[in-house]
Each structure stands twice: as C-alpha cells, then as structure tokens.
Amino acid sequence: MREDVENLDISDVTANWVNAGVLARQIDERIKALADLSHTPLFFGRLDYLHAPGADRAEGAEGEQFYIGRRHVHDSDGDPMVIDWRAPVSQPFYRASKKDPMDIGLRRRFGYTGGELTAYEDEHLSDPAEAATTSKLLQQEIERPRVGPMRDIVATIQPEQDEIVRSGLSGTVCVQGGPGTGKTAVGLHRVAYLLYAHRERLARTGTLVIGPNASFLHYIEQVLPALGELEVRQATVDDLVAHVEVRGTDSAAAAVVKGDARMAEVLRRAVRAHVTMPTEPVVVVRGSRRWRVPAYELEEIVRELLDRDIRYGAAREALPQRIAHVVLVQMERAGEAPDDRVQDAVARNAAVKAAVKAIWPPVDPAKLVLRLLTDPGFLAEHAAGLLDEDEQKKILWTKPVRSVKSARWSPADAVLIDEVTDLVQRTHSLGHVVLDEAQDLSPMQYRAVGRRCTTGSATVLGDLAQGTTPWATRSWEEALAHLGKADAVIEELTAGFRVPTDVITYASRLLPHIAPGLTPVASVRENPGFFDMRTVTDAADVVAACVESLRHEGSTGLIAADARIPVLAEALAAAGIGYLGPGEETTGQTRLTLVPASLAKGLEYDYVVLDEPQAVVDGEPDERTGLRRLYVALTRAVSGLIVTHAAPLPPQLG
C-alpha cells in the first residue's frame, strides 16, 4: 500500500502549483501514516461471523471472517485483508460475550513476542457447551513489561471502555477513573475513533490533546501515530495560554485566588470600564456638507453595543459602522443616495476615528492584567463585591513593574491574560479536545480549555483522588460547568488493569482521607503483584532496592519527594547506575527512571521503588494535597512495588 502511494505520478493531474503542493503534502502524510512500526503487528484478532453482516440471516446464509487490526489493509486488488478496529464490523471483538455473542461464532486473539506471532486463543461465543473464561492472552498483554513510551491498548479494550471510545462526536464525555483503569488510553483511542468516523469534519476544525506537563505528553506521543493518526496536536494548558513569557511563581494562596472563577467577572468589569460615554457630538465633513451625530444618539449606540455583550474588539469594530449608518440616514433624508462605499468612507473619517478612540479605546490584555495586579485602587474598583480585601492583597504585586516585558509573570497570570484576550477577540474553537489529568485544573484553567471547544466537544479524563494542586477539582459537575459543558455525560471506570491487587488495595487506604465517596479501584488481574515494605538506614539501601527491581524484565521507576532527588541521584551515580528523567524513553541498557513525585502523575513502570512516603506528604502545602500526591506515587507500578522508609509512615496508611 505504501509503495502504491510512493509511485503515484501527480505531474499531470493538478491545475496549478498550489494544488500540486497541497497534493504532494497529502501524499507525504499518507506515506508517513503507512509506515512500518517495529514490533507492532498489523492484526491482533479475528472474528468469524455466523452470517454475513447486514445480510438476511436466512438458514444456510454463509458467514464471513474478518481479521481485526490497527488500520485498514488491502491487497493489490483493493480487497480488504485487515479491518480497522474502529469499523462497525469490528465492534463485536470488544463487546461480544457468551451472554450476547452478537452473531459471532468464533473470536480469536493472537499473541506476539517481539513482533513475531507466537500464540492464539479461541472463544466459541455461540457454543453453549463452552464455558466463559478469562483470556490468558489478554492478561499477558496487560502485564507485558513496559519499556519505552506508552503503548496503545487497541488489542485489550474492554466493553465498558469501548462504549466510551465509540460515543458520538456531538456530546462531551467526562471519565472518572482510578489508577490503572485506562482512562488516558480510552481518551486517546476516542480521538482515533472520532477521526475515523468524522474525518472530514475534524480535518476542518482540528483536534487537540491537553496533558499536565511535557514529560507526560512525551510519554503518550506515540499512541496515535501507531494507530495511523498524525494530525492531532498535543499541548499543556500553559502552552495554550502562552501570550507572555512565564518566569515567576505564585504562592499557593495567590494562585488559588487567581484561579478562582470570580476572576472572570473582575476581568470583564475591568475591560468594559474602558468604555466612556460620549459627551460631545461627532461632526463629519463631506465636501461642502456637515453631518452631525449628537452625543445622546452616540450614547444610545454605545449602550446598545454594551447590552449585546459581544466581544470588546468586535463591538469596537462595529461602532464606526453604526455611527456611519446614522450619517447615511441623514444623507438619505436630505435627498442623497449614498451606497455602501460611502458608509465605509464615513466610518474611516478622521472625526469618527477620533470619537471611537475616545469612546471605545483599544485594550491590551497583558497591560490590563498588569494594571490589575499592580494598582490597588483599580483592582479594588473592579473586584468590589467579588474579592475581599485579604484576597485582593494576596494577588497584588509588592514590587513595582516597569513594563509587560519586564514583569515576572506566573502561570496563573498567563491564564488571566488569556481570559482578557478572549473578552477582546473570540478564541478559535476546535472540533474536539481531550483534557487529561483534568482534576488538577483551576476554574480559570477550565475556562481557558473550554474556549478552545465552544463549538466542539470534549473528552475530560481524571481522578478526583489524584488532585494534587491546592485548587484541585472538588466535583466533576462543578468542573464541567466551568468548562462550559454542564450537560456532559459522566462515566466511571472502576476496573483496574494496570495496578496489581496488593498494591491498589494498600494505596486505597488513603481514599477515605483524600476523596471520601469515591469507589475504590478493583484490580481485575489474576497476578497479585509483588509488594514489600522496607525500613532503610540511608540512600544506599534505596539503591539496593532499585538494583533488585532491575533484575526483573521491564522498566523501574524510583519515585521520591522532589527535595530527595539530589540525594538519590548522587547515590545512584556513586553506585554506577545510569538513570533517566521523567519522559525520557527507556532502553534495553537504561531501564531506571528517577522521578520527582511532582512529575509522577500519568506515568507507569513495571516496578516502582517509592522512597520516604512521609517526605512526599511533607513536600506539599497541606496534608490533603500531600496524601493525594502519595496516592499517585503508590499507584505507578504495573508488576511490583517496594516502599522504603527511614521515617515513620503516614498514619493514614495504617
């Protein structure tokens, strides 16, 4: 298929060089999408239908056999050899069961080792004599050692996951899922499915995956290309709102206030305060005639534009045209016959321009936010009734700032500037946005993401128990309201596929303290996993635990409180053990990653050594946030966890 595309001759099929360039680019993208991926087989399953799909199920009607894979594959005659996993005919591979065989006689799973076909397993779904069993190949695929970036789960999607993946484009879906329930993978596969089902529409409007940090995005970046999807942009929230250079940080108290939804109204008031009611008439001179628009009529126009509550910039652009229209009406009453060109000329008249500048001056978003944060009087005027004096003091800068460029903007400041930018000029909306680790966003960050999908839909992924910011989400209903998607469907995934039973059971001791009311994750894995608690005396004992873990196949993560990272890095170097940073791709030679607890979210390792749980808790501004950070760190392991500690364990662990 790739060679067919490479051999296409487009020299005589395009009308001009522009069309030729566009077509050449499309061909290049198609060639990339058809690239061979080492150790990634084209098919992983087979379905034997009892009857041909869509055909009359009369007796004697022959069934059909389909191979299911990551993408559509056809032979030299164009006949399908492998059916894309997203096609409707592939759905029974994920949904069919003994209770509901969906007209499937046989479902076959293929097992691979290093890209080589090594096993297969059959289920005769329509045979009442065969008992339902747990797939061994499915278990092996879930437990397969993890080296390198995140893999797709296309061969192991479960029925409840498939239901979310195949939900329609028009609706927003929020997925609450504990550690190891596959919510990130579900979100990425939902994008791949939507691109398959609505390719033309999403090609026009665009898709975006938003992750918590660059390390996380690097970890997941190969999933969609492996499914043949290359056009999905990936970014963090900070990337989306990068209107200014971020060089500063806020205290937790200041960040909470700046991230509060009330700031949106403070900013709206500050923007609208730039509008000044006219006190003088506008006099337009054209030739020997003078046309006068009185101040009261100008005020009516201004108030009407304010009442419509349209974007500040759009209203500013409309104002000269409205003034010009009043002049045109006067011209027509005087017996003239002006057309649109005359109206445009009047709108560009110097007197009209001067009036617009005085009434509705341009607003620079960064300058406006800078004034709010540095001018106590200006902030007090627009925060009256919204923020109390103490809250205003928390966000005011103590040192004077000369200009926008010299200001040490924080991430929360950048979000405020993005809000003002949208108040002035509408933000471009995409067709679909996936928001992962959403529980850590502030209300103002939710608004920033929501602006990117006002006319599209979203997939929101998160776990309330893993919220590790002081402003972490309290409920999905509240978060979705800030996102502008209050009518979203909330789904909960409770079946754990990644974290072993013993590990998730231990970590779940924290749930009553960090997220009371949440359903604990129930591991569906038959392998209980390796779990051990060890009292140590120094960093050398922690290194020894890492060496022990590295004897197993797969990756190892050493997770520790951020303040402990330099000590452990020194101990690893002294022992001659090479290691990577979060997001760096593990190799056969270097399988150990040293992970600050603040960056562990969303990552997974076959074996984890967790250093000093109490230090992880103490590294956060408050105990609840610290315990949530610990919950994240405890649930990164796929096969085994060793907890090392010299200090006593947090009492919440029992």
Side-chain angles (χ1 to χ4, degrees):
M1 287 170 67
R2 189 172 61 250
E3 285 171 3
D4 286 346
V5 180
E6 288 171 340
N7 293 331
L8 285 174
D9 181 6
I10 61 169
S11 55
D12 296 323
V13 298
T14 53
N16 53 51
W17 65 271
V18 175
N19 290 350
V22 171
L23 186 55
R25 181 179 173 278
Q26 290 175 341
I27 289 172
D28 285 343
E29 292 297 318
R30 177 69 174 153
I31 292 169
K32 287 178 189 174
L34 290 170
D36 283 322
L37 299 172
S38 59
H39 308 315
T40 303
L42 284 175
F43 63 93
F44 50 80
R46 194 183 98 188
L47 289 176
D48 290 6
Y49 274 82
L50 295 175
H51 308 88
D56 184 10
R57 296 189 181 183
E59 278 197 41
E62 285 191 22
E64 277 194 75
Q65 187 181 95
F66 299 98
Y67 284 84
I68 312 300
R70 284 166 174 77
R71 62 187 72 182
H72 172 83
V73 182
H74 61 248
D75 62 17
S76 55
D77 296 324
D79 295 325
M81 297 179 70
V82 178
I83 305 298
D84 194 302
W85 67 277
R86 298 166 286 190
V89 79
S90 303
Q91 193 169 354
F93 186 79
Y94 304 107
R95 301 268 188 103
S97 64
K98 295 292 287 186
K99 288 183 180 176
D100 181 14
M102 299 176 73
D103 200 41
I104 301 298
L106 178 141
R107 173 168 57 198
R108 174 169 290 178
R109 300 181 191 275
F110 295 99
Y112 292 85
T113 305
E116 294 292 321
L117 179 62
T118 53
Y120 69 88
E121 180 182 78
D122 288 349
E123 296 172 87
H124 297 88
L125 297 173
S126 299
D127 183 355
E130 185 178 288
T133 58
T134 303
S135 167
K136 291 280 193 292
L137 284 181
L138 200 62
Q139 289 284 340
Q140 289 171 12
E141 176 63 21
I142 290 169
E143 295 173 12
R144 186 154 58 98
R146 284 151 166 75
V147 175
M150 181 180 178
R151 298 193 303 261
D152 65 68
I153 61 160
V154 66
T156 62
I157 292 172
Q158 298 299 294
E160 64 272 22
Q161 295 173 327
D162 187 66
E163 196 171 327
I164 297 169
V165 166
R166 294 177 194 264
S167 52
L169 176 60
S170 58
T172 289
V173 179
C174 174
V175 182
Q176 158 64 40
T181 53
K183 56 186 177 296
T184 296
V186 165
L188 294 173
H189 287 68
R190 176 156 152 75
V191 172
Y193 172 77
L194 292 175
L195 285 166
Y196 173 87
H198 308 278
R199 189 166 301 280
E200 284 188 19
R201 180 174 166 186
L202 289 176
R204 291 194 307 271
T205 55
T207 48
L208 172 68
V209 174
I210 302 172
N213 52 56
S215 298
F216 178 84
L217 291 177
H218 184 71
Y219 176 63
I220 68 168
E221 67 184 359
Q222 294 304 318
V223 174
L224 289 168
L227 301 173
E229 301 299 345
L230 306 171
E231 296 297 315
V232 181
R233 183 183 157 213
Q234 297 184 352
T236 64
V237 173
D238 290 345
D239 295 333
L240 297 182
V241 300
H243 304 286
V244 290
E245 184 183 356
V246 173
R247 296 181 295 148
T249 55
D250 284 312
S251 67
V256 168
V257 177
K258 288 180 181 179
D260 194 289
R262 291 172 294 165
M263 286 301 298
E265 178 59 21
V266 174
L267 295 169
R268 194 183 80 89
R269 288 179 183 179
V271 169
R272 289 169 68 95
H274 285 74
V275 179
T276 306
M277 286 301 163
T279 56
E280 299 291 330
V282 172
V283 179
V284 177
V285 179
R286 281 184 61 81
S288 60
R289 300 294 299 270
R290 294 161 64 87
W291 308 97
R292 185 175 180 275
V293 182
Y296 76 87
E297 203 161 346
L298 289 173
E299 185 176 334
E300 286 177 6
I301 295 170
V302 171
R303 290 198 184 281
E304 185 207 343
L305 288 171
L306 286 171
D307 290 343
R308 287 182 59 193
D309 206 22
I310 58 177
R311 294 296 191 281
Y312 184 91
R316 187 173 187 274
E317 290 171 7
L319 181 56
Q321 289 290 337
R322 295 292 179 87
I323 296 171
H325 177 71
V326 173
V327 173
L328 252 67
V329 170
Q330 292 181 13
M331 289 179 176
E332 288 169 350
R333 285 174 182 162
E336 296 189 17
D339 56 18
D340 290 346
R341 287 174 297 178
V342 175
Q343 179 167 330
D344 289 339
V346 172
R348 294 194 301 271
N349 182 275
V352 174
K353 280 183 169 182
V356 169
K357 189 174 181 181
I359 297 167
W360 214 292
V363 168
D364 181 298
K367 285 182 180 177
L368 175 71
V369 173
L370 184 63
R371 187 179 173 194
L372 270 175
L373 299 176
T374 56
D375 184 339
F378 189 64
L379 177 62
E381 179 187 350
H382 301 299
L386 294 169
L387 305 179
D388 60 34
E389 284 187 28
D390 185 50
E391 288 173 319
Q392 291 176 37
K393 283 179 184 176
K394 285 176 182 174
I395 65 174
L396 277 167
W397 292 357
T398 53
K399 294 180 181 178
V401 179
R402 290 182 181 177
S403 67
V404 166
K405 285 190 176 179
S406 64
R408 294 184 64 82
W409 298 106
S410 70
D413 297 333
V415 177
L416 298 181
I417 294 170
D418 189 70
E419 179 84 24
V420 178
T421 302
D422 183 69
L423 288 168
V424 174
Q425 208 72 44
R426 185 182 296 277
T427 304
H428 173 68
S429 175
L430 299 164
H432 193 77
V433 170
V434 174
L435 175 61
D436 204 354
E437 301 295 351
Q439 73 280 346
D440 276 340
L441 269 59
S442 69
M444 292 300 285
Q445 287 176 314
Y446 276 115
R447 290 175 62 88
V449 174
R451 285 192 281 279
R452 271 77 188 175
C453 55
T454 48
T455 58
S457 56
T459 302
V460 180
L461 312 165
D463 179 11
L464 296 178
Q466 295 186 61
T468 51
T469 54
W471 51 84
T473 302
R474 291 190 291 267
S475 77
W476 288 123
E477 289 80 5
E478 185 182 321
L480 291 164
H482 293 312
L483 193 71
K485 304 291 182 184
D487 58 347
V489 175
I490 301 174
E491 303 279 2
E492 188 169 7
L493 295 175
T494 57
F497 303 97
R498 172 169 56 77
V499 187
T501 305
D502 289 356
V503 174
I504 195 65
T505 301
Y506 183 72
S508 294
R509 294 181 182 185
L510 296 174
L511 282 180
H513 307 282
I514 60 176
L518 268 194
T519 306
V521 172
S523 179
V524 298
R525 292 177 46 186
E526 294 177 353
N527 177 7
F530 174 74
F531 176 56
D532 196 17
M533 307 283 298
R534 297 180 186 176
T535 305
V536 298
T537 55
D538 55 25
D541 292 339
V542 181
V543 172
C546 293
V547 171
E548 181 182 328
S549 296
L550 287 168
R551 292 192 189 113
H552 300 284
E553 188 182 359
S555 58
T556 294
L558 171 54
I559 304 176
D562 292 30
R564 291 270 299 161
I565 293 297
V567 175
L568 295 172
E570 191 177 325
L572 289 170
I577 299 173
Y579 62 90
L580 302 163
E584 294 180 4
E585 196 167 315
T586 51
T587 64
Q589 291 71 41
T590 309
R591 295 182 290 116
L592 176 67
T593 305
L594 180 58
V595 187
S598 62
L599 296 180
K601 191 170 296 176
L603 305 179
E604 57 185 35
Y605 303 94
D606 289 293
Y607 291 86
V608 167
V609 177
L610 175 59
D611 169 74
E612 290 296 353
Q614 188 61 54
V616 174
V617 177
D618 293 341
E620 299 299 327
D622 60 84
E623 186 180 65
R624 191 188 75 158
T625 305
L627 290 172
R628 286 181 166 186
R629 184 77 71 189
L630 178 58
Y631 181 72
V632 171
L634 283 167
T635 54
R636 299 303 95 200
V638 177
S639 297
L641 171 67
I642 300 174
V643 177
T644 62
H645 64 102
L649 292 169
Q652 292 85 352
L653 283 173

